[in-house]
Amino acid sequence: MAFLEVQDLQVYFPIKGGIFNRTVDHIKAVDGVSFEMEQGKTYGLVGESGSGKSTTGRAIIGLEDITSGKILFDGKDITDKKTKNKAFRKDVQMIFQDPYSSLNPRKRVLDIVAEPLRNFEKLSKQEERKRVQELLDIVNVSPDSIFKYPHEFSGGQRQRIGVARAIALKPKLIIADEPVSALDVSVQAQVLNFLKEIQSELNLTYLFISHDLGIVKHMCDNISIMYKGRYVEQGSTADIFENPQHIYTKRLIAAIPDIDPKNREKQFHNRQKVLEEYTQSYNDFFDQDGLAFQLKSISDTHRVALPQKG
Amino acid sequence: ACSSGSDDNAEGDGGSDDGTEEGTDEGEGGSEDGIYSIDDFPAAKTDAGEAIDGGTLNYGLVNSSVFEGILNWNFYQGNPDAHVIQFFDESLLSADENFTYTQDGAATFETSEDNRTFTFTIGDNVNWHDGEPVTAEDWLYSYEIIGHPDYTGIRYDASFRNIEGMDEYHSGDADTISGIEVIDDKTLEISYKEAWPSLLAGGIWAYATPKHIFEDIPIAEMEESAEVRQNPIGMGPFKVESVVPGESVTYTANEDYWKGAPKLDGVTLTVVSPETVVQALESGEIDIAGGGFPTDQYPDVEESLTNVEFLGVIDNAYTYIGFKLGHWDADSSEVVTDPDAKMADVELRRAMWHAVDNNAVGERFYNGLRWNATTLIGPAYPDFYNDEVEAPTYDPDEANRILDEAGYEDVDGDGIRENPDGEELVINFASMEGGDTAEPIANYYIQAWEAVGLKVELLDGRLHEFNAFYDRVEADDPDIDIYQAAWSTGSDVDPSGLYGKEAPFNYSRYSSEENDRLIAEGNSEESFEVEHRQEVYKEWQELMVQDIPVFPTVYRAALTPVNERVTGYSAALDWSEWQEVGVTQEDPVLPE
Amino acid sequence: MWKFIVRRLLITIPQIIILSIIVFILAQMMPGDALSGLIDPSIDPAAVEQQRERLGLNNPWYIQYVDWVGGILQGDFGQSFRFKMPVTELIGQRMVNTVLLSVVTLIFTYLIALPLGLISGRFNDTLLDQAITGYTYIGFATPLFIFSLFMLWIFGYNLGWFPTSGSVAPGTEPGTIAYWLSKVYHALLPGISIALIQVVSTVQYLRSEIIDTKQKDFIITARAKGAGEQRVYNKHIFRNSLLPIAAFFGWEITTLITGTVFVEKIFSYPGMGLLFLESITQRDFSVANSLVLLFGTAQIMGALLSDIILSIVDPRIRIK
Amino acid sequence: MSNELLKIKNLSTSFRIGDEYYAAVDDVTLTLNKNEVLGIVGESGSGKSALAFSIMRLHTRAKIEGEILLNNQNIVKMSTSKLNKIRGDEMAMIFQDPLTALNPLMPIGRQIEENLFLHNKKLGQQGRKKRTIELLNLVGIPRPERVYEQFPHELSGGMRQRIIIAIAIANDPELLIADEPTTALDVTIQAQILDLVRELKEKIHAGIILITHDLGVVAEMADRVAVMYAGQIVEIAPVDKLFANPLHPYTRSLLNSVPAEGQDRLHVIQGVVPTLKNLPRTGCRFAERIPWIDASHHEEHPELHEVESGHFVRCTCYEHFYFPDNKEEQANGVS
Amino acid sequence: MEATDVKELEQAKTPSAIKVLLKELYRDKLALVSLIFLVLVAAFVYGLSIFLDQDQIVTVDLFAINEPPGEDFILGTDYGGRDVFGQLIIGTRNSLTIGILVTLLSGVFGIAYGLISGYYGGHVDNVMMRILDFMNILPFLFIIISFVVIVPDYNTITFSLIMSAFMWMGIARLIRSKALQERELDYAQASKTLGTSNFNIIFKQVMPNIVSLIIVTMTLNLAANIGLESGLSFLGFGLPESTPSLGTLISYATNPQTLEHRWWIWVPPAVLILILMLAVRNVGEALKRAADARQRRG
Ligand SMILES: Nc1ncnc2c1ncn2[C@@H]1O[C@H](COP(=O)(O)OP(=O)(O)OP(=O)(O)O)[C@@H](O)[C@H]1O
Ligand SMILES: Nc1ncnc2c1ncn2[C@@H]1O[C@H](COP(=O)(O)OP(=O)(O)OP(=O)(O)O)[C@@H](O)[C@H]1O
Ligand SMILES: [Mg+2]
Ligand SMILES: [Mg+2]
């Protein structure tokens, strides 16, 4: 049984209009997404801005209302907001993109990290402080800093404090929504290393959302490519990078700048080629509305939204 | 009840558009020279010199708000409107200083033997502004309007109901009023059911309505018509030239006026607020400040306004303290006096009268322009005023003595007297907002009563807004034991409208057989004999000082500042000789 | 756009209905009625009672309300109890004055606000700016009524430059040029008084808006194009800062309504504010109710106007 | 000298904090040739934008010392009117944030035309419009006539960035400064924009300064690369030499923190970039972040040393630098 | 443990909004002077009014009417022979009390309203905003005037309540728009995923972040409310004379003779109210600058 199972998830946002400001249309932020996750693995979710990555993650954790579809966690249906009970809240946590806004600037580190503890466990002041210090120790932030405020930390440190908060309740699944894209390259490395470390220690599962394919490749076991609310391709990291099937995936990969200046020309031509292919076969890969088709398995691990004809 | 019609509309004191109550301050408080007396003021201004030919007079109507603009005697409600109308329309009958009709008016009258039928003859030279003669039909028409079921005004009262056939006309059962007969173009005969002396004191509706103008307007719509509001005509000394609604009116002389052409070319009437009237006088913007100059401003401006002469008359009004002695029975429409009322003990009331120093109030708050009052028919009615009445005077010792004697003693030693049964006595006092002095005066009285050991508390701890005050006083709110108010008494001395058993305005709810008798007697046939009437009312005044359902506190002076260039003007309440008013120079006199 | 306006107008309807009910109930709760002021021994209480009956003042409030609303639906706001004339006509007379006063005030407000705001925003933290800011501080702190009293005294009485009361010189023929000139002349001093006090919020708003805009990235873009200082200000900063001010216009109406009450009272200027005060004290409820309704509607319309103006001048706000 | 477009000598740009000035750009010397792309990389706060703004003289309240010679005219000392003639004409800038760099209340067409109007008075209204449409075509905007009338908010981020580029190249500038032109954009759009810049370079032969913190972008675009740290240039070299043989510890650390094939742990630079106020002003500014390197290896007054032709590096510490935990791996930093 | 507890307390204060604002105030000399002035006035007025007997001050003295300032009466007397200085003290106290009370009442309600509306958003917000819109279109001056006539028992408390009922909308709207922004910030979202209750998020997480905004707005509102009180009193819809306020004292100046000849009655309160409002505003503006500066902090 899958650890987390998402079935045909749809999240629509209403567009208001008309004389009575009724809902006249919907933004289909997530439009029929299904996937499964196993414990202890990292799942990458890649796509261009606005493709619905964050919405997917937020829908799972319950920050967004689900229009239709089903989410099963440990076999239990947690689709509805009300069914997201305490146990679930403990088991699923989130890391946010912006280390500056995700920590309440008016709270001390102690209060920030202890927030989940206070919600779920009745601890004495001393116990609580001890736990927080342990957590800070795990994320390599000096346990002395519990009385400091977020603005006294660097971006990387803050992001790690955010992680400490997320792991305080020993969750099973962490949804990381672009956890490093606001950070400088050197600091990124710090956080990424660290996420990997605690994953093995705590047997965590990540849903790792990013638009940086380089990082996703570095981090993930499995990658899904999203486009306009739908999955266009899904597979192991090797599947995606070595054997991309969907034209959009190909284009995405071609767009990554190569760090070696010697490949410059090759890379440029490759990109032109892919772009040409993309324009040519666009109509084969997308329907009239420019949306991807249903995913089809082409191997055990690899599924692609190929046209109906195959 | 009394009827009205001259420019002295009588209204509850402190009414919201009443300027006379506002503010009193003075510079050199306490010094003797800060005190004035009504006797120092002339009533008329005649000595300014020779009037020039023509000229325009600027009449300032002192009022804190606009005039409503219902410019017709039959319909007007507010006092300011009456001021506007007086220039262009007037009563067919004139009155003397006691408000009794004389034979010098535009119409003369004869009375039948039984005093129930009056025959009026309108002078031949009395014409409307448009040249049409004023006819008996026109006079009758006024009655037909006021008596009509569709009539929208408030003039229909007992003096109308007293006319033969008026009830039938009013209920719509008759098309004409049987008691009023047009004898010929200029002669009108009115028959009354009962003969009342009041009829002769302003009790007859003596205003004609130009029928040829109003004939085609349904009575229900007259009030709104342009003929009332925009271009009214009358038979007075001036014609209306233009009206700026609420703000100003310009008049031109009516050369055809029956008393002769006015000396002035015209008059401009503007509303000036009491706050700015002094400046308007000083700058010559207005020549006369009529309608209630705020007397409390006088001490401050007396010296600086050298271009102005102040005329003064005794106002037909008094302020009083009322004691709640019963309640109004709506079913029988009469007063029911309650012998167990908190204030039922007349000794208590008398002591309270002794306890207050009204002369001091008049001197300190009004610089002597208000003064101690003694009776309920004031000096404004020289024929009826009983100056011999022995009213209680300021004498705290006497007050204490009376209270001690009557058993109001301080049993528990807290300095406050208990009632004869030894129970706590707290008297609730209601007073109205109105001008700056209202609150200190109310407080003064409370303090004065406290000085003789009576605990008086201001109702709700505050003054009450005009409407709220009368709402509660009228409803005999049990929370009110005593109250301070004022009456303006109109043209007739008959006190029945205010103190009669059937008078809703009898707010103290006092009644007694003696009172009923005297009031009835005062307006009976015998009282057509003036001496008799005087006797009766003098007796009544004595009764009031004995029974003290209310006690008057102060009488008041009405001041009218007039520019030095004005001549022929009088502030007397019965005066209406506008055609005689002139100016001695083209431009107003300015202060040196 | 039209849909938006229609929708806003539709929302307005229930608001006005509730407002009218509240206003009506408030009026009913006040002690006394239009006729209770007639405490006059020369008037027969029976006649007053009769009139009260005729005016329907004795009916329960909901019947009065229904009558009143029924009338309004037919464009009839009833009769003024006090003036004995149709409320529409009465308010019509006063409205001319208040509208004139408002127009004068608005003109002066903008005449003063724009230069001051622009100067103080552009040269912020200079001596000139500090002077202007100082003025706005004092303006904020000065209650309008104190200031108006002061203005009346100086310019009306002591210097005699302006009329001290009323809305028009007596005897001027309505409709003539002299008449309108006189009306404007009468509105001038009260108008300027309100403007001088009210202007400060606009000045401050404009100032901070300009200082804000000055730091925007697109200003740097403009500079990078080689646009000179003058051009940057005229084409980019002022233009962009003035837009919100344009939208202010509608809101200005709200503050104006409040401002005119004080000023009309002090200058004895017969406008709607003064009429309201008197109607309340004299319990002329048909007038008072209609006025509150009118002011409420004006306020709604002002807000709507602001939104519409904003959507016209600001391409980012598209009203659907 | 022929080929030299821009020469910056000992440039220092200081900001006032409290009562004192602190140099955000500290004694920078650089040259840029015609038709050359100079990449500038460095961590956030290292002074890249401050440098770019100094060249355009767009700072309103900064103290600028040194010389900036554009075609031998010193921008630092130039009169404002002269400066306004040059800005937008000889030199132009592409800004980082396409969302805020356009006037929200002005139609696109007018914003581009403004630049034409300011520097090309002869053109006339018709001419300007024609040229604007041409420019829109050039930067790859579909249906330019329509966009001409539109307002910024109606366009996507990528489109807006193209508009900003169109404004910048309107008068065929000789110097084009692009301050992180793609940071706010998606990868695919970034690729498009970069390709566009490359194309434009061919067409208008401008010298380009490309500021970025993405090493991949530099690798793809630049001819030469300058690495900035704490207001100074710590290494400058032709692009292939820099990537093949990075010398300065900071450059090496930076390259090592980017995920690459077969790397399980990424390199982490200790500590944080100091704030402007707390910048070390003496000695090697990177020293505090590589504490395991003996202090004696740093120069007292670090200079740029030319290691091979065109390859300069600051401070001698590079000779002794190694990565602490995986010393043996240091050789294959990037290879 | 003792030691750390002390430390904890110290630490707790470090960047608290109030401290930062105070620090900023300290830098702005004008605002500092204003604040000291306000504190002194408040202390003086509240302190002295303990010793002053209100009943005695409003006692009418027939023989001391309109006395100019002199030995007996520092600021003379009014037309009731009442000590103006005493009235000024009590009037200032009453005006301040009303101002503060209205600010607090309307502030607390407005803040709660705005926070709830903004935080929940959606339908809740929609309904709450419609109500607020409706309150906004009420011509409040007119309604207040009507109210004041109706309410029989009319004192500082009821008057403040009536005023507050119409003064909370501005702050509610402001706080709401701020709350709408705050709730989208990751820290609020994070709290949700951590299982924190909405109530706690609103009042323990979001609210502390808008404290400086709240303080600033309340301060500026205080100035406006003091002004409004005196305006209403001036129109004759304020407190009764037995509860003097600055507005009632100034309204004596509507009597032209008082205006011209008896400056001691109305000039001191007029000047005092001007300075008070100026001072409150100075403080408010300084706080506003401080709050802005904080927001700029990266
Ligand atoms: N609360 C909302 N209301 C309306 N539309 C929304 C809302 N949240 C997201 N959307 C829309 O849903 C779509 C998907 O948004 P989402 O944030 O999931 O994209 P994303 O892939 O995470 O993009 P990014 O990389 O920019 O974070 C977008 O078109 C966005 O505009
Ligand atoms: N106007 C200014 N006033 C004061 N300090 C400033 C100003 N502009 C920049 N700084 C400071 O100067 C230093 C360099 O800033 P700069 O913007 O040049 O960095 P950057 O390298 O462009 O960083 P990023 O990658 O974040 O854009 C930073 O410490 C910054 O805080
Ligand atoms: Mg996202
Ligand atoms: Mg930068």
Coordinates of all heavy atoms in Angstrom, one line a residue, chain B residues 354-389:
Chain B
H354 N -39.5 81.5 49.2 CA -38.7 82.4 50.1 C -37.2 82.1 49.9 O -36.4 83.0 50.2 CB -39.1 82.2 51.6 CG -40.3 83.0 52.0 ND1 -40.3 84.3 52.0 CD2 -41.5 82.6 52.4 CE1 -41.5 84.8 52.4 NE2 -42.2 83.7 52.7
A355 N -36.9 80.9 49.6 CA -35.4 80.5 49.6 C -34.6 81.1 48.4 O -33.4 81.1 48.5 CB -35.3 79.0 49.6
V356 N -35.3 81.5 47.4 CA -34.5 81.9 46.2 C -34.5 83.5 46.1 O -35.5 84.1 46.3 CB -35.1 81.3 44.9 CG1 -34.9 79.8 45.0 CG2 -36.5 81.7 44.7
D357 N -33.4 84.0 45.7 CA -33.2 85.4 45.5 C -33.3 85.8 44.0 O -32.3 85.8 43.3 CB -31.8 85.8 46.1 CG -31.7 87.3 46.0 OD1 -32.6 88.0 45.6 OD2 -30.6 87.8 46.5
N358 N -34.5 86.0 43.6 CA -34.7 86.2 42.1 C -34.1 87.6 41.7 O -33.7 87.7 40.5 CB -36.2 86.2 41.8 CG -36.7 84.7 41.8 OD1 -35.9 83.8 41.4 ND2 -37.8 84.5 42.4
N359 N -34.1 88.5 42.6 CA -33.5 89.8 42.2 C -32.0 89.6 41.9 O -31.5 90.2 41.0 CB -33.7 90.8 43.3 CG -34.9 91.7 42.9 OD1 -35.1 92.0 41.7 ND2 -35.7 92.1 43.9
A360 N -31.4 88.8 42.7 CA -30.0 88.5 42.5 C -29.8 87.8 41.2 O -28.9 88.1 40.4 CB -29.4 87.7 43.6
V361 N -30.7 86.9 40.9 CA -30.6 86.2 39.6 C -30.7 87.2 38.5 O -29.9 87.2 37.5 CB -31.7 85.1 39.5 CG1 -31.8 84.6 38.1 CG2 -31.5 84.0 40.4
G362 N -31.7 88.1 38.6 CA -31.9 89.1 37.5 C -30.7 90.0 37.4 O -30.3 90.3 36.3
E363 N -30.2 90.4 38.5 CA -29.1 91.3 38.5 C -27.8 90.7 38.0 O -27.0 91.2 37.2 CB -28.8 92.0 39.9 CG -29.8 93.1 40.2 CD -29.7 93.6 41.5 OE1 -28.6 93.3 42.2 OE2 -30.6 94.3 42.0
R364 N -27.5 89.5 38.6 CA -26.2 88.9 38.2 C -26.2 88.2 36.9 O -25.2 88.3 36.2 CB -25.9 87.8 39.3 CG -25.8 88.3 40.7 CD -24.6 89.2 40.8 NE -24.9 90.2 41.9 CZ -24.2 91.3 42.1 NH1 -23.1 91.5 41.3 NH2 -24.4 92.1 43.1
F365 N -27.3 87.6 36.5 CA -27.3 87.0 35.2 C -27.8 87.9 34.1 O -27.4 87.7 32.9 CB -28.1 85.7 35.2 CG -27.5 84.6 36.1 CD1 -28.1 84.1 37.2 CD2 -26.3 84.0 35.7 CE1 -27.6 83.1 38.0 CE2 -25.8 83.0 36.4 CZ -26.4 82.5 37.6
Y366 N -28.6 88.8 34.4 CA -29.2 89.6 33.4 C -29.0 91.1 33.6 O -29.6 91.9 33.0 CB -30.7 89.3 33.2 CG -31.0 87.9 32.9 CD1 -31.3 87.0 33.9 CD2 -30.9 87.5 31.6 CE1 -31.6 85.7 33.6 CE2 -31.1 86.1 31.3 CZ -31.5 85.2 32.3 OH -31.7 83.9 32.0
N367 N -28.1 91.4 34.5 CA -27.8 92.8 34.7 C -29.0 93.7 35.0 O -29.0 94.9 34.6 CB -27.0 93.4 33.5 CG -25.7 92.6 33.3 OD1 -25.8 91.6 32.5 ND2 -24.7 93.0 33.9
G368 N -30.0 93.1 35.6 CA -31.1 93.9 36.0 C -32.2 94.0 34.8 O -33.2 94.5 35.0
L369 N -31.9 93.4 33.7 CA -32.8 93.4 32.6 C -33.9 92.3 32.8 O -34.8 92.1 32.0 CB -32.1 93.3 31.3 CG -31.3 94.6 31.0 CD1 -30.5 94.5 29.8 CD2 -32.2 95.8 30.9
R370 N -33.7 91.5 33.8 CA -34.8 90.7 34.4 C -34.8 91.0 35.9 O -33.8 91.4 36.5 CB -34.5 89.2 34.1 CG -34.6 88.9 32.7 CD -34.6 87.4 32.4 NE -34.6 87.3 30.9 CZ -34.7 86.1 30.3 NH1 -34.8 85.0 31.0 NH2 -34.7 86.0 29.0
W371 N -36.0 90.9 36.4 CA -36.1 91.3 37.8 C -37.2 90.4 38.5 O -38.0 89.8 37.8 CB -36.4 92.8 38.0 CG -37.7 93.2 37.2 CD1 -38.9 93.3 37.8 CD2 -37.8 93.5 35.9 NE1 -39.8 93.7 36.9 CE2 -39.2 93.9 35.7 CE3 -36.9 93.6 34.8 CZ2 -39.7 94.2 34.4 CZ3 -37.4 94.0 33.6 CH2 -38.8 94.3 33.4
N372 N -37.1 90.5 39.8 CA -38.0 89.6 40.6 C -39.5 89.8 40.1 O -40.0 90.8 40.0 CB -37.9 90.0 42.0 CG -38.7 89.1 42.9 OD1 -38.7 87.9 42.7 ND2 -39.3 89.7 44.0
A373 N -40.1 88.6 40.0 CA -41.5 88.6 39.6 C -42.4 88.3 40.8 O -41.9 87.6 41.7 CB -41.8 87.6 38.5
T374 N -43.6 88.9 40.8 CA -44.4 88.6 42.0 C -45.7 87.9 41.6 O -46.2 87.0 42.3 CB -44.8 89.9 42.6 OG1 -45.3 90.8 41.6 CG2 -43.6 90.5 43.3
T375 N -46.3 88.2 40.5 CA -47.6 87.6 40.2 C -47.6 87.1 38.8 O -46.7 87.3 38.0 CB -48.8 88.6 40.3 OG1 -49.0 89.2 39.0 CG2 -48.5 89.7 41.3
L376 N -48.6 86.3 38.5 CA -48.7 85.6 37.2 C -49.3 86.5 36.1 O -49.4 86.1 34.9 CB -49.5 84.3 37.3 CG -48.8 83.3 38.3 CD1 -49.6 82.0 38.4 CD2 -47.4 83.0 37.8
I377 N -49.8 87.7 36.4 CA -50.1 88.6 35.4 C -49.2 89.8 35.5 O -49.3 90.5 36.5 CB -51.6 89.1 35.5 CG1 -52.5 87.8 35.3 CG2 -51.9 90.1 34.5 CD1 -54.0 88.1 35.4
G378 N -48.3 89.9 34.6 CA -47.1 90.8 34.8 C -47.4 92.2 34.5 O -48.5 92.6 34.0
P379 N -46.4 93.1 34.7 CA -46.5 94.5 34.4 C -46.7 94.8 33.0 O -47.0 96.0 32.6 CB -45.2 95.1 35.0 CG -44.2 93.9 35.0 CD -45.1 92.7 35.2
A380 N -46.6 93.8 32.1 CA -46.9 94.1 30.7 C -48.4 94.4 30.5 O -48.8 94.9 29.4 CB -46.4 92.9 29.8
Y381 N -49.2 94.1 31.5 CA -50.6 94.4 31.4 C -50.9 95.4 32.5 O -51.4 95.0 33.6 CB -51.4 93.1 31.6 CG -51.1 92.0 30.7 CD1 -50.1 91.1 31.0 CD2 -51.8 91.9 29.5 CE1 -49.8 90.1 30.1 CE2 -51.5 90.9 28.6 CZ -50.5 90.0 28.9 OH -50.2 89.0 28.0
P382 N -50.6 96.7 32.2 CA -50.7 97.6 33.3 C -52.1 97.7 34.0 O -52.1 97.9 35.2 CB -50.4 99.0 32.6 CG -50.3 98.7 31.1 CD -50.2 97.2 31.0
D383 N -53.1 97.4 33.3 CA -54.5 97.5 33.9 C -54.7 96.4 34.8 O -55.6 96.4 35.7 CB -55.5 97.5 32.8 CG -55.7 98.9 32.2 OD1 -55.0 99.8 32.7 OD2 -56.5 99.0 31.3
F384 N -54.1 95.3 34.6 CA -54.4 94.1 35.4 C -53.4 93.6 36.4 O -53.6 92.9 37.2 CB -54.7 92.9 34.4 CG -55.9 93.2 33.5 CD1 -55.7 93.6 32.2 CD2 -57.2 93.0 34.0 CE1 -56.8 93.9 31.4 CE2 -58.3 93.3 33.1 CZ -58.1 93.7 31.8
Y385 N -52.2 94.2 36.2 CA -51.1 93.8 37.0 C -51.4 94.2 38.5 O -51.7 95.4 38.7 CB -49.8 94.5 36.5 CG -48.6 94.3 37.4 CD1 -48.2 93.0 37.9 CD2 -47.8 95.4 37.7 CE1 -47.1 92.9 38.7 CE2 -46.7 95.3 38.5 CZ -46.3 94.0 39.0 OH -45.2 93.9 39.7
N386 N -51.3 93.3 39.4 CA -51.6 93.6 40.8 C -50.3 93.8 41.5 O -49.6 92.9 42.0 CB -52.4 92.4 41.4 CG -52.7 92.7 42.9 OD1 -52.3 93.7 43.4 ND2 -53.5 91.8 43.4
D387 N -49.9 95.1 41.6 CA -48.6 95.3 42.2 C -48.6 95.4 43.8 O -47.7 95.6 44.4 CB -47.9 96.6 41.7 CG -48.9 97.8 41.8 OD1 -50.0 97.6 42.4 OD2 -48.5 98.9 41.3
E388 N -49.8 95.1 44.3 CA -49.9 95.1 45.7 C -49.9 93.7 46.3 O -49.9 93.6 47.5 CB -51.3 95.8 46.1 CG -51.3 97.3 45.9 CD -52.6 97.8 45.6 OE1 -53.6 97.1 45.9 OE2 -52.7 98.9 45.0
V389 N -49.8 92.8 45.5 CA -49.8 91.4 46.0 C -48.6 91.2 46.9 O -47.5 91.7 46.6 CB -49.7 90.4 44.8 CG1 -49.0 89.1 45.2 CG2 -51.0 90.1 44.2

